[in-house]
Amino acid sequence: MQISRFNFQNNLLELEDTIDFSNAELDHNHIRKIENTHVKVIAHEYDDLITMDVMVECDIIGVCSYTLDDVPLHLKLKDSLEFSNEIEDDEDIFFEPKPIFNLDPYILGLIIASTPTKIVKKGAKLPDSGKGYRVLSEEEYQKEKAEKKDSRWSKLDDIEL
C-alpha cells in the first residue's frame, strides 16, 4: 500500500486495500502464513507530520506451542502510526523522507506484534514424556537435583588421608 503526500485533500486521505503477504519473510515457529489482509487507513496531514489510524483484519496460520500444528486465527487490530519527513527526537514517529512511501512493512510489523506468542490448539495438551526426555515439575526437579551426587568428586571418597 503506497502513501503519497500529494494525494491528501483538505489534509485528509482515506485508503482501503487488500495486501498480499504471501512472500513476506516470517518466523515459521510463530506465524506460518498471513492471508486475506484487508487494511483501512484514515490519514491526516499536519505540515511535515502524517498521523494515521490503521485498521487491519486478516487470517493468520499460527503454530501451536504444544504440538507444532497449524492453528488458524482471525485477527482484527486498530493502531495509530505517525510519519514525518524530518528527523524527530520522538521514537514513536517514523522517518519517511520521500513524498511516496510504502506502508506494507509497518502493517506487517503491526500484525506480527499483535499475534499471540503462545498459541494453543483447542484440545492440545503437553506431552507427559517420550523417547529421550521426560517432563518434571519444578519440585520434582529440585528434589532429584538435591539427591544426585556429583560423579566428578566420587573418586576423592576412596582416598584415605
Side-chain angles (χ1 to χ4, degrees):
M1 175 180 273
Q2 298 284 328
I3 298 290
S4 174
R5 295 179 192 271
F6 304 121
N7 290 344
F8 280 84
Q9 297 174 353
N10 297 326
N11 299 330
L12 179 68
L13 178 65
E14 293 186 28
L15 296 171
E16 200 164 337
D17 199 4
T18 301
I19 300 175
D20 179 23
F21 286 119
S22 60
N23 295 327
E25 291 185 30
L26 301 169
D27 176 8
H28 291 284
N29 294 319
H30 182 221
I31 300 173
R32 295 222 167 108
K33 192 188 267 185
I34 300 174
E35 303 173 328
N36 306 325
T37 306
H38 183 75
V39 179
K40 183 176 181 180
V41 175
I42 300 172
H44 299 277
E45 184 179 42
Y46 306 100
D47 294 328
D48 65 329
L49 184 70
I50 297 175
T51 61
M52 295 183 189
D53 292 322
V54 180
M55 284 82 52
V56 179
E57 191 168 341
C58 63
D59 294 317
I60 295 173
I61 304 297
V63 180
C64 178
S65 297
Y66 293 167
T67 63
L68 301 179
D69 291 337
D70 291 351
V71 179
L73 296 172
H74 184 75
L75 187 66
K76 280 186 177 181
L77 64 106
K78 189 176 188 179
D79 208 338
S80 296
L81 299 173
E82 294 180 337
F83 298 92
S84 177
N85 58 0
E86 295 181 7
I87 297 175
E88 301 284 336
D89 290 338
D90 191 351
E91 62 185 33
D92 294 331
I93 299 176
F94 298 105
F95 175 62
E96 285 292 343
K98 297 181 181 177
I100 299 173
F101 58 94
N102 190 4
L103 203 56
D104 293 357
Y106 300 102
I107 294 170
L108 180 61
L110 289 175
I111 292 170
I112 291 171
S114 299
T115 303
T117 54
K118 183 177 181 181
I119 303 169
V120 179
K121 186 177 178 180
K122 195 170 189 167
K125 296 179 183 174
L126 280 173
D128 292 329
S129 61
K131 185 177 180 180
Y133 72 93
R134 59 193 174 114
V135 179
L136 301 174
S137 68
E138 185 71 25
E139 293 82 24
E140 291 171 331
Y141 171 73
Q142 292 297 335
K143 184 180 176 184
E144 280 188 17
K145 187 177 174 184
E147 292 173 356
K148 185 179 177 182
K149 288 186 174 182
D150 191 351
S151 62
R152 297 174 294 176
W153 301 102
S154 63
K155 294 288 184 186
L156 294 176
D157 292 339
D158 298 336
I159 297 176
E160 292 183 26
L161 296 175

